[in-house]
Amino acid sequence: MRTLTIRTQRPYNALIAPGLLDRAGQEIARVLSPCRAVLVTDDTVDALYGDKVLESLHRAGFDAAKFTFPHGEESKNMQTYQQLLDFLCACDLTRKDILIALGGGVTGDLCGFAAATYLRGVRYAQLPTTLLAMVDSSVGGKTAVDLPGRKNACGAFWQPSLVLCDTAALDTLPEREISNGLAECIKHAVIADAEMLPLTRLPVADYVELAARNIAVKERFVSQDERDTTQRQFLNFGHTAGHAIEALSGYQLRHGECVAIGMVLAARIAQGLGVCARDVPAAIIQSLNAARLPIHCPYGPDALCDFVMHDKKRRGDEITWVLPERLGQCRLVPLPVDRLPALLRMGLTA
């Protein structure tokens, strides 16, 4: 088993190994004394692991109940959030109790936001079951729900007490979902660990090593900048355009697929501005192809511009772009919003 410590204001561990869901209750009890617990999961993950994890919690002495919601990004909204809060009230959850997120990024974001806001903050644990959630959203404390047309627009920073990454859960995922997670792995490689790129090819040879390397990269940025004001912004590489593409697709394209396209677009902007050499976009595209991820944007600059203008990273009349200088190193570049249409056209030019 690999153990990494996330050095935030309230440090916590991320454990990585196959079989952790079978002993989730035992591992959580090592960190928190048994108490009342609410397991939050979607209907798809519930059918696979819900009863197993609930039984594990009961064996470890937790008084556990389960809240299940329909799977998909469309459920990460204020209505589902309200339903979860009502359930927590019905369970009479207190600040000494715990929420447990079992599933992918949607579940982790929703559960974490409820934990951050219910009673002004209760403890929660992350049990990610997708590669994307393991290497990205389960670590770092960003929690949120979507508002109409705006992804993650209502959220809070709230760190979990524990993260359990059961790599055996990845065996149930279709290839498209593995590719979805590999996009964030490639992002981490481009911003901080170029030597990790060979690990991001399909088929994945070692999920434990892959998850550990990626969590280590994310921890490095989160520990320096927990509130996303400086260094942590590097983790947004590919996301400025990626979130716009995701919204324009009606969330039919996966998050990682949109980030992949967004990375290509950002790399081409970097090349056009003279930030990086010509071989950098080509190298990123090569890695994305090896992970069987899309590289072509199905939308034009005008459509993208409308969404990027509302990006959370906008500060007044500027948007900060993460642009690669070389593999393993990026630069934060604030650019005026009035240059946005030209920049997007530059990024969409093959």
Side-chain angles (χ1 to χ4, degrees), residues 12 26-27 31 35 53 65 95 102 136 144 173 204 208 233 238 254 284 287 304 315 341 347:
Y12 56 95
Q26 175 186 342
E27 295 295 344
V31 178
C35 55
V53 173
R95 285 185 178 176
L102 172 66
D136 185 42
L173 296 182
V204 175
V208 173
Q233 293 180 61
R254 306 288 200 273
I284 292 172
S287 293
L304 288 174
R315 299 288 186 273

Side-chain angles (χ1 to χ4, degrees), residues 8-307:
T8 53
Q9 186 174 3
R10 292 184 295 113
Y12 56 95
N13 287 337
L15 311 183
I16 310 163
L20 285 173
L21 293 182
D22 292 320
R23 59 179 195 272
Q26 175 186 342
E27 295 295 344
I28 295 171
R30 295 180 192 275
V31 178
L32 304 171
S33 298
C35 55
R36 189 172 291 119
V38 170
L39 180 66
V40 180
T41 189
D42 68 35
D43 51 6
T44 299
V45 176
D46 182 38
L48 293 168
Y49 307 115
D51 289 343
K52 175 194 293 188
V53 173
L54 200 64
E55 290 169 8
S56 173
L57 292 167
H58 289 151
R59 287 197 306 271
F62 289 91
D63 177 11
K66 183 171 62 177
F67 175 86
T68 305
F69 64 94
H71 67 276
E73 182 78 25
E74 57 271 19
S75 288
K76 201 176 82 173
N77 55 36
M78 294 300 292
Q79 180 180 359
T80 310
Y81 167 68
Q82 179 67 60
Q83 292 168 354
L84 176 53
L85 294 183
D86 291 342
F87 188 83
L88 301 182
C89 288
C91 292
D92 196 24
L93 214 72
T94 73
R95 285 185 178 176
K96 291 185 177 181
D97 298 322
I98 185 172
L99 276 68
I100 301 167
L102 172 66
V106 169
T107 300
D109 284 358
L110 172 68
C111 179
F113 184 51
T117 51
Y118 179 73
L119 301 181
R120 296 194 178 95
V122 298
R123 302 171 297 186
Y124 84 111
Q126 288 268 19
L127 277 59
T129 59
T130 66
L131 181 59
L132 180 65
M134 289 182 191
V135 303
D136 185 42
S137 60
S138 66
V139 172
K142 281 189 175 181
T143 72
V145 294
D146 301 337
L147 297 180
R150 296 197 182 187
K151 184 178 172 70
N152 296 332
C154 185
F157 290 95
W158 192 246
Q159 302 292 343
S161 298
L162 180 67
V163 179
L164 300 180
C165 299
D166 184 345
T167 53
L170 303 179
D171 294 337
T172 66
L173 296 182
E175 182 183 279
R176 187 180 180 189
E177 285 303 325
I178 297 298
S179 294
N180 190 37
L182 288 175
E184 293 286 354
C185 299
I186 293 169
K187 178 199 78 175
H188 289 148
V190 174
I191 67 173
D193 185 4
E195 294 181 359
M196 184 171 59
L197 280 173
L199 300 177
T200 66
R201 298 173 176 272
L202 284 172
V204 175
D206 188 342
Y207 282 118
V208 173
E209 177 65 16
L210 181 65
R213 289 279 288 267
N214 279 275
I215 291 173
V217 169
K218 185 154 191 185
E219 192 279 333
R220 190 188 318 167
F221 289 102
V222 170
S223 64
Q224 295 176 37
D225 177 23
E226 189 170 344
R227 294 282 174 157
D228 199 20
T229 58
T230 53
Q231 294 299 304
R232 187 170 178 168
Q233 293 180 61
F234 282 105
L235 294 169
N236 292 324
F237 176 51
H239 286 63
T240 302
H243 281 164
I245 295 165
E246 197 172 359
L248 284 166
S249 78
Y251 301 99
Q252 296 305 300
L253 288 173
R254 306 288 200 273
H255 175 73
E257 294 168 344
C258 298
V259 169
I261 299 168
M263 287 190 285
V264 174
L265 191 147
R268 287 173 173 159
I269 290 174
Q271 180 186 331
L273 295 177
V275 174
C276 71
R278 184 177 182 84
D279 61 343
V280 173
I284 292 172
I285 289 170
Q286 183 179 25
S287 293
L288 295 172
N289 284 335
R292 296 173 197 162
L293 283 158
I295 59 172
H296 299 293
C297 183
Y299 307 105
D302 292 340
L304 288 174
C305 189
D306 289 341
F307 281 87

